[in-house]
Amino acid sequence: MDDFLAARSQMALSLGFHIVFSCIGMVMPFFMAIAHWYWLKTKDPVYKNITKAWSKGVAIFFATGAVSGTVLSFELGLLWPAFMKHAGPIFGMPFSLEGTAFFIEAIALGFFLYGWERFNPWFHWFTGLIVGISGIVSGILVVSANSWMNSPSGFDYVNGQYLHIDPIKAMFNEAWFQQALHMSIAAFAATGFAVAGVHALMIVRKKNPRFHYMAFRIAIVFGAVAAILQPLSGDISAKDVAKRQPAKLAAMEAHFKTEKFAPLIIGGIPDTATKEVNYAIRIPGMLSFMTYEDFNAEVKGLDQIPAKNQPPVAVTHYAFQIMVGLGMAMLALSLLYFTALIKKKKWFGKAWFLKLFVAATPLGFIAVEAGWTVTEVGRQPWIIQGIMRTADAVTPMPGIAYSFYIFTAVYISLSLVVTFMLYRQIKMVPKMYDVAPH
């Protein structure tokens, strides 16, 4: 493995792990706050137990997210020094503000964890809510920095120099709102389905069914609403990509030839040699309509992108198909859930119904990983779209491959430790109820 591939692989590995921790850290505090609110309003002890159980999970993911996020910060400077030399002064503001949000989140989490019976009950609840709000703000700020890489602004690029820097304009670049919206909704959908799936499994196994049913209900409402909204935010993002990054859209859709009445390609195996997509389902004119709201609109293909500026087609296309496919599966399950909630309440006691949500536990996070693959791989060969190539930003330091192997071992170990801690936490849930709700 050469150093360039090793540097990219290490960054991908770090991001792949951190994004799971950060999504859960953004969303779980809101679940916790809802359960806590129900406890304050109803005094039903099961809600207090749910709140305390979830707060311990929040603490675990906060700690692991802090570690993995700190590693990422160092990797940006160590692996991509040329990038940080030029980009740091431009998009550094969202990172510095993210540090402030993280600081507030840490203080609020400390207040919440140790505030039981010490604070006014509603102030205690408010500190938990602040944990969630700070987490969301932190995530949006990081996405703002990433969106700047896709839509660089806030500077003039003249003769290789970055002049007239405006960090505010850089932070609120043309892509930040679409990406922040899409990522935030994805975090709620992924975390909602993951948490609901774990509790559904416990219900199927008849482990504290009332506790897990009430926890399932809170989590799946968040997840289902987010999954229904996600295609709308995805449509907004795709239209934005078509305007600013036509090469990425062409790779996402494996759209090799510029044409009007362009078909939407579902599935298939791209063949870059023949410029064809084999075994795909094609819906005539649909890509033109979805992109420009006109069936006869011309969609730019890879044939108009110089070969040296084309992203890897197969990886981008497969990741995009996985993201969309899993998103549609979660949408279907969400509609099924609301059907049960409104008309078929007896389904909640059926094993087949609960097992669908158990099976869906990892789908949201797989979709999130696939989506970030589309975002990052689809931008290649650029680290700053149209300005700096990724190959020009990598460190000249040798031996990056060994660093990649070490970090791989560290992250695998970290994931095993987190899994073990969560498993123990789930096993320690107090056995307060042994009858499923009706």
Side-chain angles (χ1 to χ4, degrees), residues 81-419:
F83 168 69
M84 290 305 295
K85 175 184 176 182
H86 298 292
I90 304 172
F91 82 153
M93 179 172 286
F95 276 127
S96 62
L97 293 175
E98 191 273 337
T100 302
F102 178 81
F103 181 66
I104 294 171
E105 184 180 3
I107 294 173
L109 181 59
F111 279 2
F112 186 82
L113 292 176
Y114 296 102
W116 290 100
E117 317 302 336
R118 293 180 175 89
F119 294 143
N120 174 278
W122 285 104
F123 175 76
H124 184 218
W125 171 82
F126 182 70
T127 62
L129 186 63
I130 289 296
V131 175
I133 294 172
S134 300
I136 286 288
V137 171
S138 180
I140 290 174
L141 288 167
V142 171
V143 172
S144 173
N146 181 268
S147 67
W148 178 84
M149 298 163 69
N150 291 312
S151 180
S153 59
F155 66 96
D156 293 326
Y157 187 64
V158 182
N159 297 325
Q161 299 294 315
Y162 298 79
L163 306 174
H164 308 122
I165 293 173
D166 183 348
I168 299 296
K169 186 176 179 181
M171 184 166 65
F172 296 107
N173 57 79
E174 291 185 2
W176 86 269
F177 175 76
Q178 295 88 338
Q179 283 193 210
L181 177 67
H182 196 54
M183 185 64 230
S184 298
I185 294 175
F188 275 94
T191 306
F193 270 85
V195 174
V198 171
H199 290 291
L201 177 62
M202 294 298 104
I203 298 170
V204 171
R205 292 180 175 178
K206 302 186 185 306
K207 306 283 187 179
N208 311 312
R210 185 165 186 261
F211 173 96
H212 290 291
Y213 174 78
M214 295 168 84
F216 168 83
R217 186 176 62 179
I218 293 172
I220 195 57
V221 167
F222 276 96
V225 171
I228 291 171
L229 294 175
Q230 188 70 324
L232 301 177
S233 71
D235 180 65
I236 294 171
S237 295
K239 286 180 168 63
D240 180 63
V241 167
K243 179 177 68 175
R244 292 182 302 94
Q245 295 176 292
K248 178 185 285 188
L249 179 71
M252 287 160 52
E253 299 289 348
H255 186 59
F256 288 103
K257 299 174 184 177
T258 301
E259 59 183 318
K260 296 181 178 180
F261 199 65
L264 178 68
I265 295 176
I266 301 175
I269 302 175
D271 187 335
T272 54
T274 62
K275 312 297 182 186
E276 297 290 342
V277 184
N278 302 314
Y279 314 113
I281 299 172
R282 291 173 172 81
I283 304 178
M286 188 56 67
L287 180 59
S288 293
F289 178 77
M290 293 178 69
T291 306
Y292 299 109
E293 298 181 356
D294 180 357
F295 283 105
N296 291 313
E298 182 177 89
V299 180
K300 190 175 184 179
L302 290 167
D303 57 346
Q304 290 194 16
I305 309 295
K308 64 179 182 178
N309 294 338
Q310 293 182 9
V313 177
V315 173
T316 308
H317 178 70
Y318 294 144
F320 181 68
Q321 295 294 312
I322 290 170
M323 178 186 70
V324 173
L326 294 181
M328 291 298 101
M330 293 166 67
L331 172 62
L333 275 177
S334 300
L335 296 176
L336 186 69
Y337 169 77
F338 283 117
T339 299
L341 188 65
I342 296 170
K343 293 185 176 182
K344 300 286 185 179
K345 285 186 168 50
K346 63 181 180 180
W347 286 356
F348 289 108
K350 303 294 184 181
W352 67 265
F353 180 78
L354 294 167
K355 286 179 180 179
L356 288 175
F357 291 94
V358 174
T361 301
L363 297 190
F365 285 113
I366 296 173
V368 166
E369 299 285 6
W372 270 98
T373 300
V374 172
T375 298
E376 300 304 301
V377 176
R379 189 181 60 245
Q380 300 306 312
W382 306 101
I383 192 169
I384 306 175
Q385 180 69 40
I387 302 292
M388 178 183 286
R389 290 179 175 271
T390 309
D392 296 332
V394 71
T395 178
M397 183 180 70
I400 300 299
Y402 298 107
S403 174
F404 168 63
Y405 300 142
I406 292 171
F407 271 83
T408 299
V410 169
Y411 276 115
I412 290 175
S413 301
L414 182 62
S415 65
L416 292 175
V417 170
V418 171
T419 301

